[in-house]
Amino acid sequence: MRLVIARCSVDYAGRLTAHLPSAPRLILVKADGSVSIHADDRAYKPLNWMSPPCTLKEGAGEDEGVWTVVNKAGEKLIITMEEILHDSSHELGVDPGLIKDGVEAHLQELLADRIETLGEGYTLIRREYMTAIGPVDILCRDADGGTVAVEIKRRGEIDGVEQLTRYLELLNRDPHLAPVRGIFAAQEIKPQARVLATDRGINCQILDYDALRGIEDDKLRLF
């Protein structure tokens, strides 16, 4: 990973145009080729970014100090450096990935094996679909062939909805997958998380762990 702190301006040209005026920012260049620009706020979310596969070209001569990042769709992220304050590279190696608790990991496995739980005609693309910001629990297709990203939690809270929102923003940049909609699936979903998910067009799905395991629940149910 390469870390660059610089005073720079940023221009994005693609399906839309965007401009970031000159300011000190952190630029992350990862081993997968992705480039993201961060400010000293907004927590984890970048101001702008380019997902892999893409290429980075550092200008020379008259274009010295101009970085141009181009993806396979021809979209460009142009970073104009005014002053570089820090530039370092670090070898992080292969990340072991997030280790989920037993129930959550088992829910993912069970739901992938019984993907029709989400609806008739659903088919699995894959579990742990990797993106530049982490793996999506399940990527699948609905009966109409549309792409669906599923985030699975034991207890569904607002941070889980935020996590799925980030995945959807990234996945919808891929023309081979877009449009991608989301399903927030959990054994229990907090009211605030449900409200936020609904506001963002994300469906909520309650998962019955025992039913997924094929164990009949002998308790009386009201639904």
Side-chain angles (χ1 to χ4, degrees), residues 69-216:
V69 188
V70 183
N71 67 11
K72 62 181 180 181
E75 298 170 311
K76 293 183 179 181
L77 193 65
I78 301 171
I79 307 169
T80 303
M81 305 289 189
E82 299 172 12
E83 181 185 8
I84 294 180
L85 306 173
H86 175 85
D87 189 347
S88 64
S89 297
H90 307 270
E91 187 65 46
L92 302 185
V94 178
D95 191 88
L98 178 67
I99 300 175
K100 302 186 177 186
D101 70 44
V103 173
E104 192 172 304
H106 198 203
L107 277 171
Q108 182 193 117
E109 180 181 350
L110 290 170
L111 185 58
D113 288 340
R114 298 160 178 79
I115 199 66
E116 67 279 358
T117 301
L118 299 176
E120 186 177 351
Y122 273 69
T123 56
L124 179 69
I125 296 176
R126 68 165 297 164
R127 290 173 53 196
E128 298 286 335
Y129 184 89
M130 186 57 64
T131 75
I133 57 174
V136 177
D137 286 337
I138 289 178
L139 197 69
C140 58
R141 296 196 185 278
D142 60 23
D144 298 322
T147 311
V148 183
V150 185
E151 180 64 27
I152 299 170
K153 300 293 183 186
R154 186 168 59 85
R155 180 179 294 106
E157 301 186 15
I158 284 177
D159 59 348
V161 178
E162 294 284 7
Q163 183 179 0
L164 179 54
T165 299
R166 297 195 298 277
Y167 288 141
L168 290 172
E169 288 178 355
L170 191 59
L171 292 169
N172 273 299
R173 288 178 171 233
D174 187 336
H176 298 293
L177 297 175
V180 185
R181 63 183 181 89
I183 294 179
F184 188 50
Q187 289 181 281
E188 172 193 1
I189 299 178
K190 297 295 185 181
Q192 300 92 331
R194 186 179 291 274
V195 169
L196 181 60
T198 301
D199 181 68
R200 295 183 176 179
I202 295 171
N203 294 335
C204 291
Q205 177 98 17
I206 296 295
L207 299 177
D208 186 322
Y209 184 59
D210 287 340
L212 285 171
R213 293 176 63 198
I215 299 175
E216 292 186 359

Side-chain angles (χ1 to χ4, degrees), residues 9-20 25-30 32-39 42-56 67-79 131-134 162-174:
S9 59
V10 183
D11 291 279
Y12 172 82
R15 288 171 292 177
L16 49 80
T17 59
H19 174 72
L20 293 171
R25 297 188 175 94
L26 168 64
I27 303 166
L28 297 182
V29 183
K30 294 188 177 180
D32 63 4
S34 63
V35 179
S36 57
I37 297 99
H38 299 259
R42 298 164 61 92
Y44 46 78
K45 190 171 183 179
L47 297 165
N48 213 326
W49 69 94
M50 191 69 81
S51 303
C54 58
T55 58
L56 167 62
W67 290 13
T68 303
V69 188
V70 183
N71 67 11
K72 62 181 180 181
E75 298 170 311
K76 293 183 179 181
L77 193 65
I78 301 171
I79 307 169
T131 75
I133 57 174
E162 294 284 7
Q163 183 179 0
L164 179 54
T165 299
R166 297 195 298 277
Y167 288 141
L168 290 172
E169 288 178 355
L170 191 59
L171 292 169
N172 273 299
R173 288 178 171 233
D174 187 336

